[in-house]
Amino acid sequence: MRGLYFDGKELKYREDLPIPKREGEALIKIIYAGICNTDKEILKGYHNFSGIPGHEFVGIVEDAPTKELIGKRVVGEINVGCGKCSYCASGLERHCPYRTVLGILERDGVFAEYTTLPEKNLHILPEGISDIEGVFVEPIAAAFEIPEMVHLEPNEDLLIFGDGKLGLLIAQVMKLYMRHVVLIGKHKEKLKLAEEWGIEGVLLQDVEKIGRFKYVVEATGTQSGFKEAIAHIRPRGYLILKSTTASGAELNLSPVVVNEIHIIGTRCGPFPPAIRALSNRWIKVTDMISEIFPLNRYKEAFLRNNEKNTIKVIFEI
Amino acid sequence: MRGLYFDGKELKYREDLPIPKREGEALIKIIYAGICNTDKEILKGYHNFSGIPGHEFVGIVEDAPTKELIGKRVVGEINVGCGKCSYCASGLERHCPYRTVLGILERDGVFAEYTTLPEKNLHILPEGISDIEGVFVEPIAAAFEIPEMVHLEPNEDLLIFGDGKLGLLIAQVMKLYMRHVVLIGKHKEKLKLAEEWGIEGVLLQDVEKIGRFKYVVEATGTQSGFKEAIAHIRPRGYLILKSTTASGAELNLSPVVVNEIHIIGTRCGPFPPAIRALSNRWIKVTDMISEIFPLNRYKEAFLRNNEKNTIKVIFEI
């Protein structure tokens, strides 16, 4: 089959990849797959991954143990637990210490014609959601992990650092929960888009004008973003971390103790609320699509993904 | 009066200090005052403090607007709010942005014959608590800030890093809340003391044998302590920070996001539960007293405080 293969050093387009097969899992034909910044990290060596990257997708079940699934249009949760440990037993496969993760950890991903996943990871996409919108279910689910982890008071304001693809989705999800959402970023065009959705956009250069918030989301994945975020939290407030890419650097936790701040890491989230939000048209994603590429133009796609004003780049498989 | 005075560079014993006077506040004659590691930081330049340091004390009210208070034996909360802002209005003077802090921030402390505090900061010490035990009320209150900030499940275990004076008090308070408490430290003698209180002591060199916990308290104030603590938290667990002295250093927050860890900073705590715990003999403090010095032997006292096997050093004023 056609697909992108990362050998640990270089990403290559190949047409000779075998169609994947995993005992007891569904075989899915990929329609669209989205580029996430985690993919960029993986191609830099994160998790020492080798194989087919990519974890955001919409596809059609081509084969499955449960025959009723065949032909269904699906999206899929990316963590596959061992099914035996205490985390799996309590529904927390996302934290199973023996898990594999689609296109991230010891499991081939979706930048290819086919992938496999256990049936329990699949969610059927309702008719009201288009194929390409479905690509956004996985990152929207990651945004819904915030209310999963933190009690958000609806009569409060929330501040987000980072107007990237994830920051823009988080802003929309948080708008469902909070009185007012402020998004800090470096990109006028992206902030303008957020303004159209009823979110207040503020350029990073004007951050000094912004006061302190009870809830702050760090979605830049940079140390400077982290420091700015900490500086804008009220005593006893919440800093929600939404990026795995924070690199080691000088960091003084003294203000966290003095101001009794809660820092909460959040990662993958629940799919059903993401599907519900898209079905109900509560979240707009099509304006976020910057360009669609075929797989064999992957080099252009990743270059486009890195451009300043790009939001979402998608592969049409 | 006699007292220790820090001019921003050097600590000196003086006998010519004026008796303090603050409009509307109580004048307190100090009986005992404890050395806290925050005092060490202050003498290194923390908060740019100058004046009389020290914030842990037991004293007798010598004068006060409310005459009934005169002659009473008291301990005192160290944060003095402005009384006008929203934090003060909601009982959170500890987070008032305009606060002064006894011996720490723009307010003379207790390493002297007298200090002053607003009456609302004072708590009368019940008869069952001795003078010298009363010195421990303030740091025990800091330990009670943990259950104030974090929901602790009583049928869980808790791990503490740091067998210093604060770590030993936290271990005792946590023993009231948790099924089992494990204390990691470098000092056999201190861990032995903890074992006598029903706490499991483990030498840092054996930390690899220790598994992961839902609740971990970082009370070493070092970056290596922080890293070890993070490595011993279960997914979705809690890291409770209990030291303001963490210096900036390489720090990767990626495991916090991947494992969805909650980090919670905690600082000064409520006095009433600390007084109640001492009154009920739930917490043992006299075994923690290493040596008692008069004020004019302050150099020896601070040297003693720095020694490996020292726990608590106290001034008898």
Side-chain angles (χ1 to χ4, degrees):
Chain A
M1 66 175 184
R2 293 175 295 109
L4 304 183
Y5 189 88
F6 181 63
D7 62 10
K9 287 179 183 167
E10 204 183 343
L11 187 67
K12 281 185 184 155
Y13 173 72
R14 285 170 54 175
E15 297 191 337
D16 62 344
L17 293 168
I19 290 177
K21 190 170 170 56
R22 281 211 190 217
E23 191 66 31
E25 297 194 357
L27 179 70
I28 302 144
K29 191 170 197 319
I30 308 296
I31 306 170
Y32 288 111
I35 295 181
C36 165
N37 283 343
T38 303
D39 298 322
K40 277 170 59 180
E41 296 301 312
I42 281 168
L43 300 181
K44 284 185 211 159
Y46 180 64
H47 271 312
N48 292 316
F49 179 82
S50 67
I52 299 166
H55 58 274
E56 300 175 357
F57 75 96
V58 170
I60 303 278
V61 177
E62 184 138 321
D63 195 11
T66 304
K67 297 305 164 198
E68 291 74 27
L69 269 179
I70 296 171
K72 292 282 192 288
R73 200 170 55 128
V74 293
V75 290
E77 303 211 29
I78 70 175
N79 294 275
V80 182
C82 70
K84 292 167 194 160
C85 71
S86 62
Y87 289 101
C88 289
S90 61
L92 273 178
E93 289 90 350
R94 305 201 282 273
H95 288 296
C96 167
Y98 314 106
R99 71 186 176 274
T100 59
V101 188
L102 191 67
I104 295 177
L105 189 65
E106 288 172 31
R107 173 178 280 272
D108 281 332
V110 301
F111 293 161
E113 281 185 88
Y114 292 95
T115 199
T116 73
L117 272 176
E119 290 182 355
K120 64 177 178 177
N121 281 54
L122 302 180
H123 296 263
I124 293 171
L125 210 56
E127 279 189 15
I129 302 175
S130 72
D131 289 351
I132 205 145
E133 286 175 327
V135 173
F136 290 84
V137 169
E138 199 277 340
I140 294 170
F144 272 103
E145 187 68 353
I146 296 176
E148 179 91 3
M149 292 289 292
V150 186
H151 169 220
L152 298 167
E153 294 170 40
N155 202 33
E156 276 287 347
D157 306 331
L158 181 141
L159 180 66
I160 301 169
F161 281 85
D163 60 1
K165 40 175 106 34
L166 190 55
L168 288 165
L169 290 176
I170 291 168
Q172 291 192 76
V173 171
M174 290 297 96
K175 191 82 183 74
L176 306 174
Y177 284 83
M178 313 303 292
R179 182 172 62 184
H180 185 60
V181 175
V182 181
L183 180 66
I184 309 269
K186 290 180 180 174
H187 311 92
K188 274 186 189 166
E189 289 302 313
K190 296 179 188 178
L191 296 176
K192 204 178 141 196
L193 191 60
E195 294 267 359
E196 287 171 20
W197 301 330
I199 291 148
E200 183 184 345
V202 175
L203 279 167
L204 183 59
Q205 65 200 55
D206 298 326
V207 71
E208 292 310 317
K209 297 174 194 163
I210 296 290
R212 286 174 181 252
F213 289 66
K214 179 157 186 171
Y215 300 101
V216 178
V217 178
E218 203 306 291
T220 71
T222 64
Q223 285 291 331
S224 60
F226 182 86
K227 281 180 192 171
E228 281 291 355
I230 285 276
H232 284 84
I233 300 176
R234 292 214 303 257
R236 292 209 175 172
Y238 295 79
L239 171 61
I240 298 151
L241 298 183
K242 202 64 240 190
S243 172
T244 51
T245 61
S247 57
E250 285 284 313
L251 195 55
N252 188 338
L253 288 169
S254 178
V256 175
V257 175
V258 170
N259 293 321
E260 299 195 318
I261 289 168
H262 307 243
I263 302 178
I264 297 167
T266 73
R267 194 172 39 112
C268 301
F271 273 42
I275 292 171
R276 192 169 71 240
L278 271 177
S279 274
N280 290 332
R281 322 310 296 168
W282 290 338
I283 292 181
K284 296 200 168 104
V285 295
T286 46
D287 292 348
M288 291 174 59
I289 300 167
S290 303
E291 199 163 346
I292 299 170
F293 290 89
L295 270 185
N296 59 357
R297 286 174 58 203
Y298 69 101
K299 283 188 183 171
E300 288 166 80
F302 278 96
L303 285 173
R304 181 74 164 95
N305 182 63
N306 285 341
E307 281 174 18
K308 192 171 150 34
N309 284 314
T310 300
I311 304 177
K312 196 71 180 179
V313 175
I314 290 174
F315 286 118
E316 184 170 8
I317 314 293
Chain B
M1 67 173 184
R2 294 175 292 112
L4 303 183
Y5 189 88
F6 182 62
D7 62 10
K9 286 180 183 164
E10 204 183 342
L11 187 67
K12 281 184 186 156
Y13 173 72
R14 284 168 56 174
E15 296 191 337
D16 63 344
L17 293 167
I19 289 177
K21 193 171 166 55
R22 282 213 189 216
E23 192 66 30
E25 296 194 358
L27 179 69
I28 301 143
K29 190 168 196 323
I30 308 296
I31 305 170
Y32 288 111
I35 295 181
C36 164
N37 283 344
T38 303
D39 299 321
K40 278 170 58 178
E41 296 303 311
I42 281 166
L43 300 181
K44 284 186 213 160
Y46 179 65
H47 272 313
N48 290 318
F49 179 82
S50 67
I52 299 165
H55 58 273
E56 300 175 357
F57 75 96
V58 171
I60 304 278
V61 178
E62 184 138 321
D63 195 12
T66 304
K67 296 305 166 198
E68 291 74 26
L69 269 178
I70 296 172
K72 291 281 193 286
R73 200 170 55 126
V74 294
V75 291
E77 303 212 29
I78 70 175
N79 294 275
V80 182
C82 70
K84 293 166 192 158
C85 72
S86 61
Y87 289 101
C88 289
S90 61
L92 272 179
E93 289 91 350
R94 305 200 281 274
H95 289 295
C96 167
Y98 313 107
R99 70 185 177 275
T100 59
V101 187
L102 190 68
I104 295 176
L105 191 65
E106 287 170 32
R107 174 177 282 271
D108 280 332
V110 300
F111 293 161
E113 279 184 88
Y114 292 94
T115 199
T116 74
L117 273 175
E119 289 182 355
K120 64 176 179 177
N121 282 55
L122 303 180
H123 296 263
I124 293 171
L125 210 55
E127 278 188 16
I129 302 175
S130 72
D131 290 350
I132 205 145
E133 285 175 328
V135 174
F136 291 86
V137 169
E138 199 276 340
I140 294 170
F144 273 104
E145 188 68 355
I146 296 175
E148 180 89 5
M149 293 288 292
V150 186
H151 169 221
L152 299 168
E153 295 169 40
N155 202 33
E156 276 286 350
D157 305 331
L158 181 141
L159 180 67
I160 302 168
F161 280 85
D163 58 1
K165 39 175 106 35
L166 190 54
L168 287 167
L169 289 176
I170 290 168
Q172 290 192 76
V173 171
M174 290 297 96
K175 192 80 184 73
L176 305 175
Y177 283 83
M178 313 304 291
R179 182 174 58 184
H180 185 58
V181 175
V182 181
L183 180 65
I184 307 270
K186 290 180 180 175
H187 310 92
K188 274 186 190 167
E189 288 303 312
K190 297 181 188 178
L191 296 176
K192 205 179 139 196
L193 190 59
E195 294 266 0
E196 287 170 19
W197 301 330
I199 292 148
E200 184 184 345
V202 175
L203 278 168
L204 182 59
Q205 66 201 53
D206 298 325
V207 71
E208 291 311 317
K209 296 175 192 161
I210 296 291
R212 287 176 180 249
F213 289 67
K214 180 157 186 173
Y215 300 101
V216 178
V217 178
E218 203 307 290
T220 71
T222 63
Q223 285 291 331
S224 61
F226 182 85
K227 282 180 190 170
E228 281 290 354
I230 286 276
H232 283 84
I233 301 176
R234 292 214 302 256
R236 292 208 174 173
Y238 295 79
L239 172 61
I240 298 151
L241 299 182
K242 200 66 241 188
S243 172
T244 53
T245 61
S247 57
E250 285 282 316
L251 196 55
N252 188 338
L253 288 170
S254 177
V256 175
V257 174
V258 171
N259 292 321
E260 300 195 318
I261 288 168
H262 307 244
I263 302 179
I264 296 167
T266 73
R267 193 170 41 108
C268 301
F271 272 42
I275 292 171
R276 193 170 70 241
L278 271 177
S279 275
N280 289 332
R281 322 309 296 168
W282 289 339
I283 292 181
K284 295 202 170 101
V285 294
T286 46
D287 292 349
M288 290 174 61
I289 301 167
S290 302
E291 199 163 346
I292 300 170
F293 290 89
L295 270 184
N296 60 357
R297 287 174 59 202
Y298 69 100
K299 284 186 183 172
E300 287 166 80
F302 278 97
L303 285 174
R304 181 75 165 97
N305 181 64
N306 285 341
E307 282 175 15
K308 191 170 152 33
N309 283 313
T310 300
I311 304 176
K312 196 73 179 178
V313 175
I314 291 174
F315 286 119
E316 183 170 10
I317 314 294

